[in-house]
Amino acid sequence: MLKRTLHELPEHLYPADEWRLVERGYSPRYCSRAETFFALANGYVGVRGTYDEGRPSTAPGTYVNGFHETWPIVHAEEAYGFARFGQTIVKVPDATILRLLVDDEPLSVPEARLHGYARVLDMRAGTLTREMSWSTPGGKHVELRSRRVVSLEHRHVLAVEYEVTMRGHAAPVVLRSQVLNLEDLSVEEASERPPDPRAGRDLADRVLNPVVVAHEGGRILLGYRTTNSGMTLGVGVDHVISTANPHTTDVAADGDRGEVVLTVDAQPGVPIRVTKFVTYQTSRGAPPEELTERCSRTLDRSVRDGFGALLDGQRAHLDRFWDRADVRVSQGAGTARLQQAVRWNLFQLAQATWRAEGAGVPAKGLTGNGYEGHYFWDIEVYLLPFLAYTQPRIARNLLRFRHSMLPAARERARELGQRGALFAWRTIDGREASAYYAAGTAQYHLNADIAFAIRRYVHARGDTGFLLEAGAEVLVETARMWADLGFHGDDGAFHIHGVTGPDEYTTVVNDNTYTNLMARLNLRYAAETMRALERERPAEHAALAAELGLHPGELDEWERAADAMHVPFDEERGIHPQDAHFLEREVWDLDATPPERFPLLLHHHPLEIYRRQVIKQADIVLAMYLVGDEFTAAHKRADFEYYDRLTTGDSSLSACVQSIIAAEVGDERRALDYFRFALMIDLGDVAGNVSDGVHIAAAGGVWQALVCGFGGVRDHDGELTFDPRLPRAWSSLAYSLRYRARQLRVALGHDEERYLLEDGGPVEVTIRDERRRLVPGQPLVVRPPGR
Amino acid sequence: MLKRTLHELPEHLYPADEWRLVERGYSPRYCSRAETFFALANGYVGVRGTYDEGRPSTAPGTYVNGFHETWPIVHAEEAYGFARFGQTIVKVPDATILRLLVDDEPLSVPEARLHGYARVLDMRAGTLTREMSWSTPGGKHVELRSRRVVSLEHRHVLAVEYEVTMRGHAAPVVLRSQVLNLEDLSVEEASERPPDPRAGRDLADRVLNPVVVAHEGGRILLGYRTTNSGMTLGVGVDHVISTANPHTTDVAADGDRGEVVLTVDAQPGVPIRVTKFVTYQTSRGAPPEELTERCSRTLDRSVRDGFGALLDGQRAHLDRFWDRADVRVSQGAGTARLQQAVRWNLFQLAQATWRAEGAGVPAKGLTGNGYEGHYFWDIEVYLLPFLAYTQPRIARNLLRFRHSMLPAARERARELGQRGALFAWRTIDGREASAYYAAGTAQYHLNADIAFAIRRYVHARGDTGFLLEAGAEVLVETARMWADLGFHGDDGAFHIHGVTGPDEYTTVVNDNTYTNLMARLNLRYAAETMRALERERPAEHAALAAELGLHPGELDEWERAADAMHVPFDEERGIHPQDAHFLEREVWDLDATPPERFPLLLHHHPLEIYRRQVIKQADIVLAMYLVGDEFTAAHKRADFEYYDRLTTGDSSLSACVQSIIAAEVGDERRALDYFRFALMIDLGDVAGNVSDGVHIAAAGGVWQALVCGFGGVRDHDGELTFDPRLPRAWSSLAYSLRYRARQLRVALGHDEERYLLEDGGPVEVTIRDERRRLVPGQPLVVRPPGR
């Protein structure tokens, strides 16, 4: 049930354009959203879409993935095992700022008389450009162009090209190019907002302590160490100034600010161009001096290669991205708008993941500090499918990163009284940072989500080598946790009690159906994997088993638990209860709840919510998608009907999944409604908090809704099946899948569907329950059944 | 099942004495416990049992009931409706200190060479006395006597008499009598302890801001205002110095300290006696100047009447107390020890409640800052029975105080989405201060506990006037909350979901049996009361109904809910599940849990505890006691057997109830074991935290275990029934009951039982299911049935 308001992008402000998001004028109302819309990132570093001049800005910020401060969590009432170490992503000094003064008049976008304003996020070029003319208060005309890029090729590099040309008159022009530690600004600003558990946290004490302050020519180098986490940071900026006008430069720096001041005697028609190269280096503890040295070397190379090379590399990387990731839809007159929104979501996936080597993907990518830069299950359930089928290299990196958290997860399992490993619900450094266990630590399902993602990745890529390298260890430790957590009840069934499923509007329940089904998969896949390794790689298996202290009976124990796993089912209603006792609860009257009371979590005490049948986000419905082979078609229809009317969609993770299952059960109207909702979660600011950053998981959900929902792709047994549901309102849908080192192209129309294997050996897939063989270069054309 | 270690009082330190607790020597091991054992209080002000000289002291403190500071609760993760205002009882400046120096050598008890040491809490006199001789390092002999009293007659007054006599040699003697603001000392000290949710809180910022600082002669007056709560405090001390030795005095004061220094040229055999009168006044906001003036007037009177008058008044009040409250037991050679412990517990009840006018009773009385001086359900369930049957005036005061919290309770119900009123689980000022809702706000049963206490009080005293004054309003608002909170399910039954019962080892459950039974009583009694008032006091009823906006159908609605109330019962096992799904949980293996892992809450994450069958404190077993008429004898036996083996007794509220029901079901051994446990909770430091103060509720439980457990008293229909179970090991048990303005005396022996009505009209009681009539002055002698 859709209870939230969807706002479309205003056409006069953001005209439809398939490859670009274009802002046609400054609007105070859209200013804070635009900082997120126009954010640039590469998975390592991200910059919010602020104005070059630094103002106006509602929440400026540059973030480096994983660069965080820690702090002791103080609980209002302590208890054993509560999370102790908070972790918060830190704003690194902002190096994008170039303040412009003409005739000593500063350019300030909100007040300035501007003509021909256009800010453009070009999703093929990977740039943010701005063009406009400014009539100064003194009546002079200034032409301005800027271009910003966060390099997908060079993960430590971003750059801004800023060009000013006087028209008609000469004038003194001053450009103040800054690098600015913003941390003092944020506390004040944040305190004006009401408390919102979804927002980021502002750290009370100083985080960045300057260790290195240096400058030479147009280059500034700053090095920092954080107060608590001991992480280190190097920032470097360099400037290439290109103008035929007479000019001077001046440079200064201290621990909080570096500045290059360019003073120009600007002649009409003679452009002033400043190219600013910026680089960040972070480390868990290397000396800041070492990091600023690395910055220096990066700057040497960047200046040498120039801005043009950056742009070329950017385009090349995005060509590779779009080749595999693009999804094309057509919908008559609405195509450009629809395609724009689809591409904006997919582009966010590139920005969040492309260079996330050695790190995870924060819930907001690197576009804001919402959720404090933490890693959640979003990675495994909402991003992994996209990555496994478009960029398996990145999928592997992320799973390897998860594996690196195993020591912390083992320690956490001990604290919770369990064997094996229990991954932290939200974390940067691997330790649990969720201060509210009922909707945090209790989400044990994360363990199974990770196992699920490993299985999907291994199957999609055929990368069994990953199992030996890292996957099997995670599978064994997570399976151990489940086997220990649950118990065989008097009824002989295996029960898992006291856990929270994906839906956070009921917490700490018994036998959450999603959790039990996913745990079963985890247990079985772990056993199956270890048995296969024993057969196929006996030496490595023996070494691994010894290292893990795997005793002979464990695999049997897991399989017994999996086979006996209790899956709640209500015979009378013919549906799966969300948990053992969900259906006994009173039903929340969503029809009687006024729109301003959503999201419920901001207007009702948890106790009021938890005791009722009301759903924050897809839970059973998610299980129907991820482990759909556990449900009959009839049950899917019944379950979807039942749960849909209870679902608020208060979580951004919900609509995409609802859409997928609505499509599967043949409810095209709801599938499209939910899809539009998912698609516009950020661009339509559905949750009212897009200024905190992009909902990256929802963007991953958009790809899944397109490819798995309307596109009908599943892979329950590790093999591809297709059961497309092209909406009547759409004329076509085309997507690509990377599958076991082959490239598949699928183009769906109402009259025919084309399945093309571009390369590699032949492969078998299932199309609408029919086994089909795809041969490279020979498109398989299928006539969809009549409706 | 008893899993905690019980330590008896060491005979050499605390010899058995029926009316006195005597400490025969200083022991560093017992020093912090002794500060609680020897605390004095009167329900308004309390002083811990520190040494007169102020050292050594592990946790000095003087507390005034309800005098508290507030502070914003910061939740590690915020949510709507979480408690916002913390409240913490504040240490008022300590005025007990008299530092002694002889030959410039300070007396410090741990290091001093002492002879004939005796500290005596005299429970009939209501004094703490100390006698000893001191051989100074210089070889001089000093005789010391002191007496401390916290007046039960004059609630604002406490006093210390301190006498020093040189023996054999003359010496310069200096006595520094101080009043000292301790708040700076506490933070440091507390930080060394591991976090314990049961402990008190130390406030980080300065709380007491001096407004008045004055002295004249031997009198010092200090006035304060707290930083956040705006409460005000006046402290006054005055000194009467009596000695034939040449002496001088000097006085000084600032905002943190006042001091009278007495310098004496002490001759051998010539005593120096200082009597120090102390008074405290507190207010929610009256100017401190006004309070110090009141202090001055109180001091005038106290000095005029003298220390002797205080002692006489103290004895007279305690005679009244013991006449109604004393319980006498005999057990052969062990009698003195047993009787001493019983009296010490009863004496704590006097100290906690006697002058608590206009306030509640903190969980630790005024003997420590454990639980932050908060009021809990302890008052209604653990103290009210004792008070209703021994000091109904105090019972009425406490219920009237609860009624004064109704506005805050209405507001809290709104926040939780409910009609009516919801009383705060822990509070001083009426607002919810429980920062952990699962074991706090979720304990909705408090509402019913209050209704239960009103009913018991009204029945025991026959005080229906109280209903019109305050009781009915509380009954109506609490009944409204239940009617709104629960719902009629598909099965037609009325269900209450998402609440926590008394047992905090399972939280936020459906249909907690205790809660449902108590809510039923609340709903019925509210309806019954309003119908009776309508019949008997139509005018007042109409006014009340109008004020409360009571609509005609409400009473029917309550009765329908009560009649349809779901009471979980497991046919197969023949027992009542603690909640709808309790029996589905895995059983915690208490036998396999090592003793050092108790209490479980300090060694296991809540999730680990909540998902299992393991009990912190009596829940079903408490229901069997409070609403025993809802259970058959067979069910009581079965339920007790089942739950006893799951019960850790990690709460001090458990053993007394387990003892009562063990006695009822005829398990004498366990009844006695649990009773000893309840009896020694503080004296035996079972929970290891007696230094935080006396467990007042447990002391109330000791009375109930004696009178209702072994004494067999119940009053389910408001009338007294007796079904005594005198243990074989005891030769007799005697207790008194105040009942509808009459005094009953019951003396139980194995050969005969005597029931004596001292005064008033005849009354009917039930003894072992037989209806008997008691006539004043004519003891009814009953021969107990053979065993």
Side-chain angles (χ1 to χ4, degrees), chain A residues 173-234:
Chain A
V173 169
V174 175
L175 259 171
R176 297 172 52 196
S177 171
Q178 299 181 325
V179 50
L180 199 60
N181 182 7
L182 297 173
E183 62 179 304
D184 292 337
L185 308 175
S186 56
V187 176
E188 201 179 319
E189 161 209 318
S191 63
E192 287 163 24
R193 288 176 55 171
D196 179 345
R198 304 164 307 174
R201 171 179 296 268
D202 286 288
L203 297 160
D205 301 317
R206 185 175 182 105
V207 172
L208 294 178
N209 304 288
V211 179
V212 179
V213 179
H215 60 85
E216 193 192 345
R219 183 173 297 186
I220 298 166
L221 296 170
L222 301 173
Y224 297 90
R225 181 175 279 113
T226 61
T227 302
N228 299 326
S229 69
M231 292 193 79
T232 49
L233 169 70

Side-chain angles (χ1 to χ4, degrees), chain B residues 496-501 506-512 578-580 585:
Chain B
I496 299 172
H497 280 188
V499 303
T500 298
T506 48
T507 66
V508 195
V509 298
N510 294 347
D511 290 321
N512 169 257
Q578 184 170 301
D579 59 69
R585 296 167 196 267

Side-chain angles (χ1 to χ4, degrees), chain A residues 148-413:
Chain A
R148 189 185 284 180
V149 63
V150 174
S151 176
L152 296 166
E153 183 180 14
H154 304 290
R155 65 199 293 251
H156 296 279
V157 175
L158 61 99
V160 186
E161 189 191 63
Y162 193 90
E163 197 179 285
V164 188
T165 313
M166 295 303 303
R167 288 291 169 206
H169 298 82
V173 169
V174 175
L175 259 171
R176 297 172 52 196
S177 171
Q178 299 181 325
V179 50
L180 199 60
N181 182 7
L182 297 173
E183 62 179 304
D184 292 337
L185 308 175
S186 56
V187 176
E188 201 179 319
E189 161 209 318
S191 63
E192 287 163 24
R193 288 176 55 171
D196 179 345
R198 304 164 307 174
R201 171 179 296 268
D202 286 288
L203 297 160
D205 301 317
R206 185 175 182 105
V207 172
L208 294 178
N209 304 288
V211 179
V212 179
V213 179
H215 60 85
E216 193 192 345
R219 183 173 297 186
I220 298 166
L221 296 170
L222 301 173
Y224 297 90
R225 181 175 279 113
T226 61
T227 302
N228 299 326
S229 69
M231 292 193 79
T232 49
L233 169 70
V235 190
V237 295
D238 207 345
H239 297 79
V240 175
I241 295 161
S242 159
T243 184
N245 292 303
H247 63 279
T248 61
T249 58
D250 197 17
V251 58
D254 63 27
D256 278 332
R257 175 191 298 256
E259 190 173 48
V260 170
V261 181
L262 171 66
T263 308
V264 188
D265 187 4
Q267 301 306 310
V270 183
I272 308 157
R273 183 190 296 157
V274 175
T275 312
K276 183 175 187 178
F277 296 95
V278 182
T279 183
Y280 295 95
Q281 290 277 353
T282 51
S283 160
R284 292 199 170 266
E289 294 80 0
E290 190 181 317
L291 301 184
T292 49
E293 258 175 53
R294 282 190 226 159
C295 288
S296 230
R297 285 194 295 273
T298 303
L299 289 173
D300 290 345
R301 194 181 56 237
S302 300
V303 169
R304 186 193 66 209
D305 296 347
F307 195 71
L310 269 188
L311 293 182
D312 294 345
Q314 190 78 345
R315 178 67 189 232
H317 276 255
L318 279 167
D319 284 347
R320 275 169 46 203
F321 171 76
W322 288 117
D323 176 55
R324 294 185 180 176
D326 197 21
V327 179
R328 292 182 307 285
V329 288
S330 57
Q331 190 199 220
T335 296
R337 182 53 110 195
L338 179 60
Q339 189 69 61
Q340 179 188 49
V342 167
R343 292 230 171 86
W344 185 84
N345 278 280
L346 300 179
F347 184 67
Q348 298 310 320
L349 295 173
Q351 296 209 115
T353 64
W354 199 256
R355 301 306 303 270
E357 296 101 284
V361 180
K364 301 286 186 179
L366 297 161
T367 65
N369 69 347
Y371 293 110
E372 304 182 61
H374 287 176
Y375 312 131
F376 290 81
W377 70 316
D378 303 29
I379 294 172
E380 280 79 9
V381 171
Y382 288 83
L383 300 181
L384 230 291
F386 166 79
L387 295 169
Y389 286 112
T390 64
Q391 299 294 340
R393 167 193 65 84
I394 302 177
R396 183 185 171 120
N397 281 343
L398 288 172
L399 293 173
R400 196 186 277 143
F401 174 69
R402 191 60 93 168
H403 171 260
S404 76
M405 292 180 171
L406 205 43
R410 287 192 177 108
E411 175 58 30
R412 186 63 178 153

Side-chain angles (χ1 to χ4, degrees), chain A residues 377 381 445 449 502 512-518 619 622-623 626:
Chain A
W377 70 316
V381 171
H445 67 79
D449 302 334
N512 169 258
T513 303
Y514 173 92
T515 303
N516 287 18
L517 288 172
M518 294 291 284
D619 191 297
L622 180 58
L626 299 184

